[in-house]
Amino acid sequence: MKPIEIQPNIFWIGVNDRSTKLFEGLWPIEKEGISYNSYLIKDEKTVLIDLCKGLFQDEYLNELKTLIDPSEIDYLVVNHMEPDHSGAMQAFRKIAPQAKILATIKAVQMMEDFFGISENIQPVNDREKISLGEKELLFITAPMVHWPETMMTYETSSQVLFSCDAFGGYGTLSDGIFDDDYKDISYFEQESLRYFSNIVAAFSKPVLNAGAKLADIPIKMIAPSHGLVWRGAPERILNLYVKWSEFSKDTAERGVTLLYGSMYGNTLKMLPAITAGLEKAHVPTKGHDITTTHISYILPDLWVNQGVMIGAPTYEGSIFPTMAAVLEMVNFKRIFNRHAAYFGSYGWGGGATRYLKTQFEKSKWEFVESLVFPGQPSQEDLANASAFSERFGNLIKSL
Ligand code: FEO
């Protein structure tokens, strides 16, 4: 895409990545894509803020050259060293060796480790300012949002916050780069939540710390390194990120994530009755067949819903391994303090319930109740299932 002027003499230079199948080698983005947003500020001193993934460096540098001769750039601000933003660093260094790199002290060692770059770097401190002429940069460190070296950069005259990973989302920017280019931004909000739950959620406390540091800073525009530039309603994405981060310590939304997977369909025979009970309780429910849905799309619901209804059989004295993998990711992503119930089939001795008790101790989940049965569910099991899930739905609503 061609560069776009987002404020006088401040330009978005972005790349839409439509070819990466798995972001970080983990998270599917084949349908949605992602953008790598970089920004150029022209003043007496010229500054480039962040770069892009190495795979796209030729496209990116060609777009940059339509705005400026890279040999005229005074500074490169490196907000974050993850290679989706810094991957083009060596190529940029070759054509702009004069550009002094501004980054946190923690980024300096990483620059050497990742790219062998150790010259012409100026470490910056939290709240340090650098004048560009009429414009001025303020650096705000944001450790663990998403790596320990991460910072945000704020331009004081235009009140634009270059927030890097914070306030970002999946999704390419085909029909406009601004939130107010779109009548309905629910798609981008959902992809921001998926990105948050996949990438950032484990660092919710640092996100809240960063949010607190921004409290006394007037923000006219949020320009993250992924996804929409928030011009119309920057407070919207900021508030969403704060709300989602608070779910790490407070009760989440009064809804249920229904996870199910089955080997031969016996556990699934319970599903209509389980769903009927949750409907009777009028509790918002999002269901996922874990055998066909990538964890990337399940994590957003686990993050925002307080209740988790788990349906899966016993497998070799434990739980169905696909479900175990989902619950293992729960611990990776630090989804703590949820309420869970379990239903499932077993062949002989059971074991899923025992596994869940151990797992829930790690994730600090409250194990509300379980409904297990040998083989296929009996008429009595089916009759009990609806009341079982209705009780659980009512409990979640009452929290
Ligand atoms: Fe978009 Fe943590 O990198």
Side-chain angles (χ1 to χ4, degrees):
M1 264 174 87
K2 297 275 169 251
I4 294 169
E5 191 167 22
I6 62 170
Q7 286 284 306
N9 288 317
I10 303 180
F11 300 85
W12 172 90
I13 311 166
V15 174
N16 280 316
D17 177 356
R18 297 187 179 90
S19 56
T20 297
K21 287 193 166 79
L22 296 172
F23 185 67
E24 290 189 338
L26 283 168
W27 315 108
I29 54 165
E30 202 170 4
K31 280 192 310 226
E32 302 85 357
I34 194 166
S35 70
Y36 310 113
N37 304 336
S38 159
Y39 301 91
L40 180 75
I41 303 178
K42 286 184 172 176
D43 201 344
E44 286 169 28
K45 298 283 186 189
T46 303
V47 180
L48 193 58
I49 299 179
D50 291 320
L51 297 165
C52 75
K53 190 173 171 178
L55 192 62
F56 300 95
Q57 63 190 27
D58 292 344
E59 178 185 341
Y60 168 78
L61 292 173
N62 285 339
E63 294 301 339
L64 174 66
K65 286 173 193 168
T66 66
L67 289 176
I68 193 167
D69 178 344
S71 68
E72 294 172 11
I73 294 173
D74 296 287
Y75 297 115
L76 168 66
V77 170
V78 176
N79 278 326
H80 181 25
M81 275 299 297
E82 192 163 6
D84 53 332
H85 310 290
S86 65
M89 197 179 284
Q90 284 171 327
F92 177 75
R93 225 331 125 91
K94 267 191 196 148
I95 59 172
Q98 80 294 336
K100 183 169 283 188
I101 295 176
L102 306 176
T104 62
I105 188 73
K106 284 195 171 141
V108 174
Q109 183 63 48
M110 287 185 176
M111 246 169 257
E112 172 134 37
D113 295 341
F114 276 79
F115 303 113
I117 291 175
S118 56
E119 303 290 322
N120 203 16
I121 302 170
Q122 180 180 324
V124 294
N125 295 313
D126 189 32
R127 305 280 172 170
E128 189 172 331
K129 290 180 176 177
I130 285 190
S131 174
L132 306 177
E134 287 184 10
K135 299 184 191 301
E136 178 189 58
L137 298 183
L138 166 69
F139 302 108
I140 305 159
T141 57
M144 300 316 296
V145 188
H146 155 224
W147 283 7
E149 89 302 358
T150 310
M151 67 175 185
M152 299 187 268
T153 300
Y154 177 73
E155 201 289 297
T156 56
S157 68
S158 59
Q159 300 181 346
V160 177
L161 177 71
F162 303 97
S163 60
C164 201
D165 277 351
F167 316 123
Y170 295 130
T172 51
L173 305 175
S174 306
D175 299 316
I177 67 165
F178 298 106
D179 59 333
D180 55 15
D181 283 332
Y182 297 84
K183 253 191 194 154
D184 178 3
I185 56 165
S186 54
Y187 166 80
F188 287 102
E189 287 186 355
Q190 182 57 34
E191 285 305 314
S192 293
L193 173 59
R194 186 165 72 94
Y195 172 86
F196 173 89
S197 66
N198 293 181
I199 312 290
V200 185
F203 309 110
S204 286
K205 192 158 179 264
V207 172
L208 291 171
N209 292 341
K213 285 174 94 170
L214 297 174
D216 58 349
I217 294 175
I219 296 172
K220 191 169 164 187
M221 183 181 285
I222 291 183
S225 294
H226 299 294
L228 292 174
V229 175
W230 296 81
R231 175 177 67 182
E235 71 285 353
R236 173 133 190 101
I237 193 67
L238 199 153
N239 291 340
L240 280 173
Y241 258 67
V242 168
K243 180 178 92 165
W244 296 332
S245 297
E246 281 174 345
F247 291 157
S248 66
K249 57 188 177 69
D250 298 333
T251 306
E253 288 175 358
R254 275 60 168 180
V256 170
T257 308
L258 170 60
L259 305 176
Y260 53 91
S262 185
M263 294 165 70
Y264 295 106
N266 288 315
T267 297
L268 282 191
K269 283 180 183 160
M270 295 289 265
L271 204 53
I274 294 287
T275 307
L278 292 169
E279 279 172 7
K280 255 176 124 178
H282 300 292
V283 63
T285 300
K286 285 289 287 293
H288 294 286
D289 180 345
I290 57 152
T291 65
T292 56
T293 308
H294 193 285
I295 184 70
S296 172
Y297 297 92
I298 298 172
L299 285 172
D301 291 322
L302 284 172
W303 190 266
V304 300
N305 287 324
Q306 183 61 31
V308 187
M309 174 65 79
I310 295 170
T314 284
Y315 185 97
E316 296 182 0
S318 182
I319 203 167
F320 188 48
T322 316
M323 188 64 80
V326 169
L327 297 173
E328 194 56 38
M329 189 59 88
V330 159
N331 282 341
F332 253 103
K333 294 298 168 189
R334 305 173 71 80
I335 305 176
F336 295 151
N337 305 315
R338 299 295 187 263
H339 288 69
Y342 165 70
F343 65 96
S345 165
Y346 63 91
W348 54 101
T353 308
R354 189 171 54 240
Y355 164 86
L356 289 173
K357 278 183 185 158
T358 308
Q359 193 67 12
F360 293 166
E361 275 172 24
K362 290 188 222 161
S363 52
K364 305 182 185 91
W365 285 18
E366 188 170 329
F367 198 166
V368 177
E369 65 175 312
S370 63
L371 181 56
V372 297
F373 48 91
Q376 62 177 327
S378 65
Q379 285 307 314
E380 191 185 349
D381 294 325
L382 290 168
N384 288 337
S386 177
F388 162 79
S389 60
E390 187 182 353
R391 274 196 305 279
F392 182 69
N394 283 328
L395 170 76
I396 297 303
K397 276 172 54 189
S398 73
L399 294 171

